[in-house]
Amino acid sequence: LKDGTTRLGDATKELKLELAAHPDEFLANFYLGVIHMTEGKWQSAVPLMGKASQLQPKNPDPHFFLGQAYQSLGKYRQAIEALRKSIALNPRFEHNDYQVTNAHFRLGQLLLKEGFTAEGEKELQTAAELKSKAFKRDSEKLDAYLNAGNNAVENTANAVKNVSNVINSLDGKDQTPSSLLAPGIVAGPESPNARTREALAAEAAFL
């Protein structure tokens, strides 16, 4: 924790120097705002996140963090506006599904506090559904991963078993099966067929 705090301090200094030279740099505004929020400095984070949201108005991230900062400051109307923008910019949840779920949850809480009961309950229900879908999706991914691992182990075991069987079948035995002693002739060692014996003898005469 001490090392992390030191690194945050170093990062803060570097980001402030960057902003002094390039005040319209999105990443500097955004990450310095994130650091202030990590430290609980919500008031300091607001103008940075506000600037970041202006520099990249179609990016849902600064709107989400701005809404979180406003919520922590008790500025609920501003928080509601920022969170709605964050959600609207990610309609298919492709950018960050956890963040969208969190945005719906926070928005639901704020709407309830502001007296918009029906809207608030709807947002909380949406958040619950998204969380359930995310849990199901993660569970399916885990099952697929575990099944793939089990199949790989099973295939490897079968391959080892097959190789072992081949080695055992050849160990100390003639590698030529008795049924293939002469082309086109089927004969086991105990066969009484005289024509078979004659054919084998004739074949041997040419070897």
Side-chain angles (χ1 to χ4, degrees):
L1 181 61
K2 183 178 180 181
D3 291 340
T5 303
T6 302
R7 291 173 184 173
L8 282 179
D10 293 339
T12 299
K13 292 178 182 178
E14 292 180 9
L15 290 170
K16 285 182 176 179
L17 289 174
E18 178 65 21
L19 284 176
H22 305 95
D24 291 334
E25 169 59 41
F26 169 77
L27 291 177
N29 280 280
F30 179 76
Y31 284 118
L32 184 57
V34 170
I35 289 175
H36 286 325
M37 292 180 67
T38 302
E39 297 172 336
K41 299 177 181 178
W42 309 108
Q43 194 66 53
S44 299
V46 165
L48 293 165
M49 285 300 173
K51 183 64 175 292
S53 66
Q54 292 173 4
L55 292 170
Q56 290 192 10
K58 294 184 178 181
N59 186 338
D61 293 343
H63 295 288
F64 171 75
F65 285 106
L66 181 60
Q68 186 177 347
Y70 277 135
Q71 182 181 14
S72 298
L73 290 171
K75 298 181 179 182
Y76 299 149
R77 292 299 177 101
Q78 293 95 319
I80 289 172
E81 181 181 356
L83 290 172
R84 278 178 169 164
K85 286 182 179 178
S86 176
I87 292 170
L89 289 169
N90 193 14
R92 292 185 298 274
F93 318 127
E94 295 174 351
H95 180 71
N96 186 330
D97 56 354
Y98 170 77
Q99 180 174 296
V100 175
T101 302
N102 197 341
H104 279 288
F105 180 75
R106 289 178 178 273
L107 181 57
Q109 289 181 317
L110 292 168
L111 288 170
L112 290 177
K113 287 184 177 181
E114 289 296 294
F116 301 101
T117 305
E119 290 183 63
E121 290 178 350
K122 183 179 179 180
E123 292 295 334
L124 292 177
Q125 180 63 31
T126 299
E129 292 174 356
L130 290 174
K131 185 177 181 180
S132 177
K133 289 180 181 179
F135 178 80
K136 181 180 179 181
R137 184 170 61 253
D138 292 343
S139 178
E140 291 174 349
K141 288 181 180 178
L142 178 61
D143 288 342
Y145 174 79
L146 292 176
N147 288 335
N150 290 336
N151 290 338
V153 171
E154 183 177 354
N155 291 339
T156 301
N158 289 336
V160 172
K161 183 178 179 180
N162 291 337
V163 172
S164 178
N165 289 338
V166 171
I167 292 173
N168 290 335
S169 68
L170 298 178
D171 188 23
K173 297 181 180 180
D174 186 350
Q175 297 184 17
T176 303
S178 59
S179 61
L180 299 179
L181 290 176
I185 299 175
V186 178
E190 69 285 352
S191 174
N193 192 303
R195 293 179 62 186
T196 298
R197 289 197 298 271
E198 292 174 1
L200 290 174
E203 182 74 17
F206 290 98
L207 296 179

